[in-house]
Amino acid sequence: MLTQIKGLHHVTSMAADAQENNDFFTKLLGMRRVKKTVNFDAPDVYHLYYGDESGTPGSVMTYFPFPHIAKGRRGTGEVSETAFSVPVGTLHYWRERLSLAGVEGVKADEQFGEARLRFHGPDGDGFALVEVAGDTRAPFDGGPVPAGKGIRGFHGVTMRLRDADATAQLLAFMGYREIVREGALIRMGLENGNGADVIDLEALPNEGRARESAGSVHHVAFAVENREAQAEVRRALLDAGAHVTPVIDRNYFWAIYFRTPGGVLFEIATNEPGFDRDEDPAHLGEALKLPDQHAHLRARLEGTLPALAD
Ligand code: ZN
């Protein structure tokens, strides 16, 4: 069993409209845009990162906005819900805030004894706010949400799978342990993680496969401290038969990827070097940052990427 993985690092999804996406996360949810760059593999679209003050691993929601793409279809083989941690006693505030903004799918319930407020993102994305006791992570306090009510980072994600057991075994190999089973749900958790410690697996053996497009999670990334820990995880996954990519430099972290048996794309990302490596921490996310390999495209990209107001 591996011990290097410390929880989630980031979750990356697809959107249809960059401005709408930006406003949802910064103006409504009160997160900070910590990076404005492009998809390194397809630089004609943005890659937008939202998180806490510095973009701490475990708090970072990222998006590829592809203008005008259709909505994805929910199904199996995907992350169906991304849950953020908020302080106990704040869901009433959030319910009112989201409802006033016309957010769809706002619904309060309880799961595994935790109060949860579920809602949809602009493209039908599945989100939840969960009241988590004892989460000491600091929310971003420079946005419109009071710090005492703010999002502290991820609580976890839910994956919908035809066969949940294969992914449960993989997560156990990665260092997670089964916490509880309830109906079709398995909760896996990590001890001594970064706070984004929970993975819920929902078994739906007869459900069709998801079609990935706007509102779909593209991949989920797990955090390791550094490149050495990442190399250890990569070796162990290769030995276990996973088809893992070489290490890829993503400027703000190093990444490896592999497709899981359940169909979800996993990434293992390093906590180093972080989002302040190419801009002043006071101005994270303001200017368009390009990696060296795409720097020569700046003039063209500034002309073709949609304008994006703060
Ligand atoms: Zn990623």
Side-chain angles (χ1 to χ4, degrees):
M1 192 181 90
L2 297 172
T3 56
Q4 297 88 345
I5 290 166
K6 301 301 179 194
L8 297 179
H9 185 287
H10 62 271
V11 176
T12 294
S13 294
M14 297 161 74
D17 187 283
Q19 188 68 58
E20 185 180 44
N21 179 257
N22 179 83
D23 293 354
F24 189 82
F25 284 94
T26 62
K27 294 187 168 64
L28 183 63
L29 297 186
M31 294 166 73
R32 185 183 194 191
R33 192 174 78 211
V34 293
K35 195 61 64 182
K36 180 167 77 170
T37 183
V38 293
N39 181 339
F40 288 10
D41 299 327
D44 287 320
V45 300
Y46 279 123
H47 194 177
L48 303 176
Y49 291 74
Y50 311 100
D52 67 4
E53 173 106 26
S54 60
T56 307
S59 78
V60 184
M61 186 77 216
T62 100
Y63 272 86
F64 300 131
F66 290 92
H68 312 303
I69 55 168
K71 285 188 182 177
R73 186 183 64 215
R74 298 280 81 83
T76 54
E78 68 172 353
V79 170
S80 57
E81 187 170 277
T82 302
F84 299 96
S85 164
V86 293
V88 172
T90 61
L91 285 191
H92 179 74
Y93 162 85
W94 279 105
R95 184 174 195 157
E96 201 168 285
R97 181 173 180 82
L98 298 181
S99 299
L100 275 173
V103 170
E104 291 183 15
V106 178
K107 190 170 150 263
D109 68 359
E110 198 172 284
Q111 183 168 268
F112 297 124
E114 298 168 331
R116 173 173 74 165
L117 186 69
R118 310 177 78 181
F119 59 101
H120 297 158
D123 297 294
D125 325 49
F127 290 122
L129 297 168
V130 178
E131 291 186 352
V132 181
D135 187 343
T136 56
R137 295 176 291 170
F140 176 51
D141 67 358
V145 174
K149 300 184 182 340
I151 288 173
R152 298 134 147 185
F154 296 118
H155 181 44
V157 294
T158 302
M159 299 177 198
R160 304 181 88 194
L161 304 159
R162 285 196 160 202
D163 171 16
D165 286 312
T167 299
Q169 282 166 26
L170 170 64
L171 287 168
F173 179 74
M174 289 166 63
Y176 287 75
R177 69 182 178 89
E178 184 176 317
I179 293 175
V180 58
R181 243 173 225 254
E182 200 176 285
L185 282 171
I186 308 172
R187 167 156 289 192
M188 306 289 292
L190 199 62
E191 283 171 73
N192 306 314
N194 61 15
D197 299 336
V198 164
I199 310 281
D200 291 337
L201 306 175
E202 184 178 11
L204 294 160
N206 301 313
E207 185 91 7
R209 285 213 31 119
R211 193 189 59 231
E212 189 178 285
S213 193
S216 305
V217 171
H218 183 269
H219 63 267
V220 56
F222 296 85
V224 289
E225 196 54 44
N226 52 37
R227 298 194 68 184
E228 189 185 352
Q230 184 182 54
E232 290 163 7
V233 171
R234 183 169 184 273
R235 241 181 340 259
L237 287 167
L238 286 170
D239 287 347
H243 297 280
V244 189
T245 66
V247 177
I248 301 170
D249 182 356
R250 295 305 190 194
N251 250 17
Y252 313 107
F253 46 89
W254 282 272
I256 57 174
Y257 303 86
F258 62 105
R259 185 74 63 181
T260 64
V264 179
L265 183 62
F266 277 14
E267 173 184 342
I268 310 290
T270 57
N271 289 348
E272 59 181 11
F275 293 100
D276 60 356
R277 76 169 293 249
D278 63 352
E279 58 188 339
D280 180 347
H283 295 283
L284 287 183
E286 294 175 13
L288 176 66
K289 305 305 288 185
L290 297 175
D292 289 345
Q293 66 269 33
H294 297 320
H296 66 286
L297 300 174
R298 178 170 289 278
R300 176 163 74 75
L301 292 174
E302 285 177 346
T304 55
L305 286 167
L308 187 58
D310 285 341

